[in-house]
């Protein structure tokens, strides 16, 4: 367990260093674009983004874990699988382009045609990057991956700002998703070139059984993460979708930037212990213990900082996004706690269980959001989404506990003290907000100061031992020890 912890912290250190640098860069770019483009522009591009995720992420998130998980793949197998990904890229990109007219007709927005067509480039390059990217992860080259990610984001940030200042309008929003796919392929292939060979059936089938269920899980997961946006875009208009999507993006910032730091490191490390379920369960409990220490506090802080964050980043025209973000912030804690779960399921070769659990959550999300839209209430949608995320967390915990022959009570027992600390913080911030008045900066700074003081109190009274250990390691890294 000690070696895992050391490797995990080391890997997370390099990935997080680059990832959070990318977050800062991304926030700066978003702040610029949000002041020069309208909510309608963001809503239109958000619709298109859902479909490129559907066509590219399903494949990339299915084959990459399978390559990492399988320790018996030979060089010949990898060449065959790499060639197979090129065939998939051509087939799926062609299928996507055939679907574009139907998507445009469904949403009755002609500008979508151009946006969706340009996004085909992203789909193609994302798929042909699968093998070199997976091999970089499998080789645990976390430092190189971190630097590659940071370099790509910096380059695209500059290009996006130049594009919007040159009058490209909403098309400036296409620079990042399209450019990321192209640059990621170019850099990863240069770092880990994989030769071509005939896509042998024997090689592909070595990862196919794992990949098929992983692909189904990814499709369902993308569905439940995006069905709300697809329905809002169709029945409540692009402007409402723009407000909702920007709030959702802000809510996802902590989640994506914790999940994308931990999961890429966690799966390659835990896959070494795929036959030791007791080890995996204990590792999961330690991760939950660490994440519990800050997840609930982050959720409460975001709830009270909703208006400050939205107006500061996006400007006054995004005021209608504030109540949406405030509600969605309540789900951040459970989504953050859920982020390492996928890596645990994958490491335990339990993709079918993961897929089945996610299917239940998808149906709950579909029924809930459709019901809210049927009632004509835009304000009800984020409330429904938060409730479904909470139910989803409970479903995943139960499934994981059954997989390991354990009780989910063990996980909840770890979380309860930190839920209590967050509840006390909520009460404190309610008083602080009332005393600070309605001024944006006064209220925001009062909340931030209170959260930092409360956090410091918990930290120095040893209520956060896991976080203390993590920060101690980071401090040693910074000092070169």
């Amino acid at each position: 367990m000690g070696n895992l912890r050391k490797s995990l912290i080391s890997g997370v250190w390099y990935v997080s260093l680059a990832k959070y640098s990318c977050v800062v860069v991304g926030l700066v770019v978003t702040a610029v674009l949000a002041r020069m483009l309208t909510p309608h522009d963001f809503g239109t591009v958000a619709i298109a983004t859902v479909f490129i995720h559907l066509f590219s992420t399903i494949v990339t998130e299915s084959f990459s874990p399978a390559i990492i998980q399988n320790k018996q793949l030979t060089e010949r197998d990898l060449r065959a699988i790499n060639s197979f990904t090129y065939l998939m890229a051509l087939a799926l990109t062609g299928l996507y382009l055939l679907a574009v007219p139907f998507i445009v007709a469904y949403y009755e927005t002609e500008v979508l045609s151009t946006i969706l067509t340009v996004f085909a480039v992203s789909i193609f390059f994302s798929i042909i990057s699968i093998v070199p990217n997976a091999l970089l992860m499998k080789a645990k080259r976390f430092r190189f991956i971190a630097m590659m990610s940071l370099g790509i984001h910096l380059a695209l940030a500059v290009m996006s700002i130049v594009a919007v200042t040159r009058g490209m309008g909403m098309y400036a929003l296409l620079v990042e998703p399209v450019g990321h796919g192209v640059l990621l392929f170019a850099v990863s292939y240069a770092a880990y070139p994989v030769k071509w060979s005939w896509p042998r059936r024997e090689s592909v089938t070595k990862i196919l059984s794992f990949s098929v269920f992983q692909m189904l899980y990814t499709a369902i997961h993308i569905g439940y993460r995006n069905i709300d946006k697809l329905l809002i875009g169709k029945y409540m208009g692009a402007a409402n979708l723009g407000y909702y999507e920007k709030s959702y993006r802000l809510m996802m910032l902590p989640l994506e930037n914790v999940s994308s730091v931990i999961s890429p490191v966690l799966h390659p490390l835990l896959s070494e212990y795929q036959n030791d379920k007791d080890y995996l369960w204990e590792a999961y409990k330690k991760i939950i213990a660490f994440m519990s220490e800050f997840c609930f506090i982050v959720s409460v802080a975001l709830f009270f900082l909703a208006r400050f964050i939205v107006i500061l980043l996006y400007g006054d025209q995004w005021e209608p996004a504030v109540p949406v973000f405030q509600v969605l912030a309540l789900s951040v804690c459970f989504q953050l706690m859920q982020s390492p779960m996928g890596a645990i399921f994958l490491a335990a070769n339990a993709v079918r269980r993961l897929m089945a659990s996610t299917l239940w959550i998808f149906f709950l999300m579909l029924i809930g959001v459709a019901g809210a839209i049927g009632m004509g209430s835009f304000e009800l949608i984020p409330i429904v989404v938060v409730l479904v995320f909470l139910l989803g967390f409970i479903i995943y915990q139960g499934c994981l506990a059954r997989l390991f022959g354990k009780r989910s009570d063990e996980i909840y027992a770890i979380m309860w003290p930190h839920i209590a600390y967050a509840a006390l913080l909520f009460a404190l911030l309610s008083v602080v907000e009332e005393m600070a008045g309605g001024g944006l900066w006064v209220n925001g700074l009062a909340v931030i100061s209170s959260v930092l003081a409360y956090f410091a109190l918990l930290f120095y009274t040893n209520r956060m031992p896991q976080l203390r250990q993590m920060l101690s390691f980071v401090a040693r890294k910074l000092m070169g020890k």
Side-chain angles (χ1 to χ4, degrees):
M1 189 66 72
N3 289 334
L4 172 65
R5 178 180 296 172
K6 184 177 180 180
S7 299
L8 177 60
I9 293 176
S10 180
V12 166
W13 161 251
Y14 290 118
V15 177
S16 60
L17 186 65
K19 189 65 182 178
Y20 292 117
S21 300
C22 294
V23 170
V24 174
V25 173
L27 289 175
V28 171
V29 174
T30 301
V32 173
L33 297 180
R35 285 166 170 77
M36 301 184 73
L37 301 174
T38 67
H40 185 277
D41 294 334
F42 280 93
T44 303
V45 175
I47 295 171
T49 303
V50 172
F51 289 99
I52 67 164
H53 283 164
L54 183 65
F55 277 84
S56 62
T57 308
I58 288 176
V59 179
T60 56
E61 294 296 320
S62 303
F63 277 74
S64 291
I67 294 169
I68 293 170
Q69 185 77 3
N70 195 315
K71 308 303 180 186
Q72 280 76 47
L73 293 176
T74 65
E75 187 65 31
R76 187 182 183 188
D77 292 328
L78 292 172
R79 290 199 300 267
I81 294 168
N82 186 53
S83 301
F84 183 69
T85 62
Y86 278 79
L87 295 179
M88 282 196 304
L90 290 171
L92 286 176
T93 304
L95 183 64
Y96 167 82
L97 289 172
L98 289 175
V100 166
F102 298 99
I103 298 170
V104 173
Y106 179 75
Y107 283 98
E108 300 175 348
T109 306
E110 193 59 38
V111 71
L112 267 178
S113 179
T114 303
I115 297 171
L116 289 166
T117 302
V118 172
F119 274 164
V121 177
S122 177
I123 293 174
F124 180 81
F125 280 96
S126 295
I127 296 173
I128 63 174
S129 302
I130 290 174
V131 175
N133 275 322
L135 292 177
L136 286 171
M137 293 302 303
K138 194 170 187 175
K140 303 181 181 70
R141 294 180 61 183
F142 301 127
R143 179 185 293 186
F144 175 81
I145 294 167
M147 294 303 103
M148 174 179 69
S149 177
L150 179 58
I152 290 174
H153 274 84
L154 285 171
L156 294 175
V158 173
M159 293 168 65
S160 296
I161 292 175
V162 169
V164 76
T165 54
R166 292 295 181 89
M168 288 183 63
M170 75 169 65
Y171 295 108
L173 297 172
L174 311 188
V175 171
E176 199 281 329
V178 174
H180 187 269
V182 176
L183 292 178
L184 182 64
F185 168 75
V187 179
S188 61
Y189 188 81
Y192 217 125
V194 184
K195 296 180 180 179
W196 287 24
S197 72
W198 183 253
R200 299 166 57 246
R201 180 178 178 181
E202 302 81 39
S203 298
V204 175
T205 52
K206 286 185 178 182
I207 63 168
L208 204 56
S209 60
F210 187 99
S211 297
V212 167
F213 287 103
Q214 174 68 13
M215 188 179 296
L216 291 173
Y217 156 70
T218 305
I220 298 166
H221 185 265
I222 291 173
Y224 103 75
R225 283 287 184 183
N226 292 282
I227 190 66
D228 49 351
K229 303 179 193 67
L230 292 176
L231 293 175
I232 292 170
K234 172 62 178 177
Y235 297 105
M236 293 197 160
N240 276 333
L241 176 58
Y243 293 125
Y244 181 85
E245 195 268 344
K246 269 287 159 275
S247 302
Y248 197 95
R249 285 260 182 193
L250 278 177
M251 179 268 293
M252 289 293 289
L253 265 180
L255 174 63
E256 288 179 339
N257 294 293
V258 169
S259 178
S260 59
V261 165
I262 292 178
S263 296
V265 178
L266 195 59
H267 180 213
L269 294 174
L270 291 181
S271 65
E272 304 287 345
Y273 305 92
Q274 55 189 272
N275 298 316
D276 190 346
K277 291 190 175 182
D278 287 335
Y279 185 96
L280 293 176
W281 177 252
E282 290 303 317
Y284 177 62
K285 286 169 61 178
K286 287 186 178 295
I287 295 167
I288 290 296
F290 167 69
M291 300 190 73
S292 295
E293 293 179 352
F294 63 88
C295 287
F296 299 103
I297 290 177
V298 167
S299 202
V300 172
L302 290 176
F303 177 85
F304 284 95
L305 287 170
R307 187 168 185 273
F308 180 77
I309 293 172
V310 171
I311 301 303
L312 180 66
L313 287 179
Y314 302 148
D316 293 333
Q317 68 167 328
W318 292 90
E319 181 79 37
V322 172
V324 180
F325 176 52
Q326 194 168 36
V327 174
L328 290 175
L330 295 174
S331 71
V332 167
C333 50
F334 294 105
Q335 294 192 76
L336 282 170
M337 302 280 287
Q338 187 178 302
S339 60
M341 234 175 278
I344 301 292
F345 275 106
L346 293 177
N349 289 305
V351 186
R352 295 188 189 188
R353 288 175 181 261
L354 180 61
M355 181 197 70
S357 300
T358 308
L359 185 60
W360 281 106
I361 302 169
F362 171 78
F363 284 128
L364 288 172
M365 185 68 77
L366 177 61
I367 294 168
V369 173
I373 290 176
M375 295 170 65
S377 176
F378 178 67
E379 295 76 14
L380 185 58
I381 294 175
I383 297 174
V384 169
V385 169
V386 170
L387 291 174
V388 172
F389 283 146
L390 173 58
L391 289 172
F393 178 78
I394 295 171
I395 290 171
Y396 278 135
Q397 295 300 330
C399 182
L400 200 61
R402 287 192 298 274
L403 171 65
F404 293 124
K406 308 292 183 179
R407 292 176 58 86
S408 53
D409 293 350
E410 295 180 42
I411 301 301
Y412 299 134
I414 295 171
M415 295 164 49
W416 283 123
H418 302 288
I419 293 175
Y421 300 149
L424 288 173
L425 178 62
F426 193 97
L428 172 66
L429 293 182
S430 298
V431 175
V432 169
E433 189 176 54
E434 186 68 27
M435 293 175 63
L440 180 68
W441 281 97
V442 173
N443 188 37
L445 293 176
V447 170
I448 292 171
S449 301
S450 300
V451 170
L452 291 176
Y454 190 78
F455 188 89
L457 176 64
L458 292 176
F459 186 83
Y460 286 108
T461 54
N462 205 29
R463 298 295 188 273
M464 298 177 165
Q466 303 292 329
L467 188 60
R468 181 187 287 270
Q469 187 176 21
M470 174 73 169
L471 292 178
S472 176
F473 176 85
V474 171
R476 291 197 301 272
K477 275 284 184 182
L478 290 174
M479 291 186 291
K481 295 183 179 180

